Amino acid sequence: MQLSPRAPGFVANPYPAYAAIHRHGEAVFWEEYGHWCFAGYDIVNLLLRDKRFGRQITHVASRAELGLAEPAPHLSAFDAVEAHSLLELEPPAHTRLRTLVNRAFVARQVEQMRPEIATLADRLIDTFIADGGVELLSRYAEIIPVTVIARMLGIAEDMAPHLLDWSHRMVRMYTFARDEAVEIDANAAARDFASFIRDEIAQRRANPDDDLISLMLTRSARDGEILGDDEIVSTAILLLNAGHEATVHQIGNAVATILEFGLCPRAMFADRQTTALAIEEMMRFDPPLHMFTRYALTDCEPVPGVSLRKGETIGLLLAAANRDPRRFPDPGNFIANRTEGTHLAFGAGIHFCLGAPLARLELQIALPALFARLPSHPRLATTPQRRDAYHFRGLTELQLVWDQ
């Protein structure tokens, strides 16, 4: 398949391309990426869990053996953060670190945050409800998740602009055909972000509290484990980056879907049950993460006709899997009460999104609150423009207007 991830038509709407892949099979060699990609629901679900694949590769083979270049000096700070990231680790390191962090994100723990998230959403809506319009991403969608994660980590809320800036610059590293300027800027952001978190760690070590950074310092000792500062830095940055980037884009994508398709928020968000179903369909229909890559840890043939050598990359097209007609009938149609099965927007296997319960809760609060509070059904002031940032699908801005 030859298709630039930066082609304007694809950026605006990748789903026709996914549909074409489904018509011809479940795997395609994507020329621009130079590796095989998988789009079928069953195979993507399987490969997310398959222990023959992983996010790391140098733990089973040397760079020389794989023909990989040595790490770039101008990315040393960024690579140092990634070296201990849960998203990039494999067992046993991944198991150990995730076990220590997971307790803060289990559903019953997260549910206790419902009142404060609802209060935050209402407070933000109060700041623009009388204006007759708003740029929703910067005034609402960004602020909710970054504030919630900052509170969990015990970071002052007035640091949010800096956290967002560092995060946005680091996440650009995952865009297609990035240039050296992006890399240098991402490295600088990673260096400053890490320095800030190290200062936070020092403060908690001197004066522990009940926040997540303190717990990462104290629980490790209680469990007989030692979490190093580098691990805590990487984990805190991952939680801040992943904890708001995906949710911001999912809120934006969901609001755009509702307005572009003329859906009825009152019916979708009538109660917690209908809201929960509608949110799951939002994530299936237009999720923020479209590709998740893994390395082949051994020579293998995951599907007939696709032979992989150890060290090769594969792309798992999560959003395409969510539109697989063999799994989801009429996949291009938004069905608020769809019950065919679980989508893959959060991934699967050991790298299933740690923050999924929190992301679900934020969406279940933020979207109903917005449509319930605005004085009339909002409208799009301009056509939403998509970010040129595949694998992450989101909007550059979302301008809404409404009658007073």
Side-chain angles (χ1 to χ4, degrees), residues 268-344:
M268 285 192 297
F269 306 138
D271 54 44
R272 286 195 183 183
Q273 182 177 3
T274 60
T275 296
L277 284 174
I279 295 303
E280 296 306 303
E281 177 68 346
M282 292 288 180
M283 289 185 285
R284 182 203 70 83
F285 188 78
D286 196 14
L289 180 61
H290 278 221
M291 183 192 292
F292 188 74
T293 58
R294 303 189 81 191
Y295 290 108
L297 304 181
T298 185
D299 296 352
C300 60
E301 188 176 6
V303 297
V306 177
S307 296
L308 300 172
R309 301 294 299 274
K310 181 166 71 172
E312 286 193 73
T313 297
I314 60 170
L316 305 179
L317 304 180
L318 306 181
N322 286 343
R323 294 288 188 106
D324 187 342
R326 292 165 294 187
R327 177 71 177 190
F328 301 102
D330 196 10
N333 188 24
F334 184 94
I335 302 173
N337 60 351
R338 188 186 289 272
T339 58
E340 282 90 14
T342 305
H343 59 76
L344 294 176

Side-chain angles (χ1 to χ4, degrees), residues 218-231:
T218 58
R219 278 180 172 165
S220 57
R222 186 189 73 184
D223 295 339
E225 291 280 356
I226 299 298
L227 269 184
D229 285 9
D230 290 345
E231 292 175 310

Side-chain angles (χ1 to χ4, degrees), residues 35 47 50-60 63 66 68 88 90 292-298 300 308-316:
H35 59 67
L47 292 176
D50 194 326
K51 294 182 180 179
R52 296 175 299 174
F53 298 86
R55 292 287 292 177
Q56 284 179 305
I57 188 59
T58 53
H59 65 305
V60 298
R63 287 181 172 272
L66 297 168
L68 297 177
E88 308 300 334
E90 292 297 311
F292 188 74
T293 58
R294 303 189 81 191
Y295 290 108
L297 304 181
T298 185
C300 60
L308 300 172
R309 301 294 299 274
K310 181 166 71 172
E312 286 193 73
T313 297
I314 60 170
L316 305 179

Side-chain angles (χ1 to χ4, degrees), residues 18 30 47 56 59 81 90 110 135 148 161 173 207 241 243 248 255 262 281 329 346 354 390 394:
Y18 296 157
W30 199 331
L47 292 176
Q56 284 179 305
H59 65 305
V81 170
E90 292 297 311
V110 166
E135 197 294 293
V148 171
M173 281 290 290
N207 297 290
N241 287 356
V248 168
V255 172
E281 177 68 346
F346 289 123
L354 177 71
Y390 193 80

Side-chain angles (χ1 to χ4, degrees), residues 127-205:
T127 67
F128 57 73
I129 192 170
D131 297 340
V134 69
E135 197 294 293
L136 194 73
L137 300 187
S138 61
R139 298 284 299 277
Y140 190 69
E142 282 190 341
I143 300 175
I144 290 175
V146 74
T147 301
V148 171
I149 289 292
R151 288 177 180 175
M152 292 181 73
L153 289 165
I155 294 173
E157 291 182 29
D158 61 8
M159 282 299 299
H162 296 286
L163 302 177
L164 289 170
D165 176 62
W166 290 328
S167 178
H168 293 332
R169 291 159 62 195
M170 290 182 70
V171 167
R172 292 192 188 106
M173 281 290 290
Y174 304 107
T175 57
F176 179 76
R178 67 177 188 253
D179 58 26
E180 187 171 321
V182 168
E183 295 178 344
I184 292 172
D185 188 55
N187 191 71
R191 181 193 61 233
D192 294 344
F193 208 160
S195 177
F196 170 75
I197 296 297
R198 288 185 189 281
D199 289 343
E200 293 289 309
I201 292 171
Q203 292 176 28
R204 300 311 188 289
R205 189 168 275 127

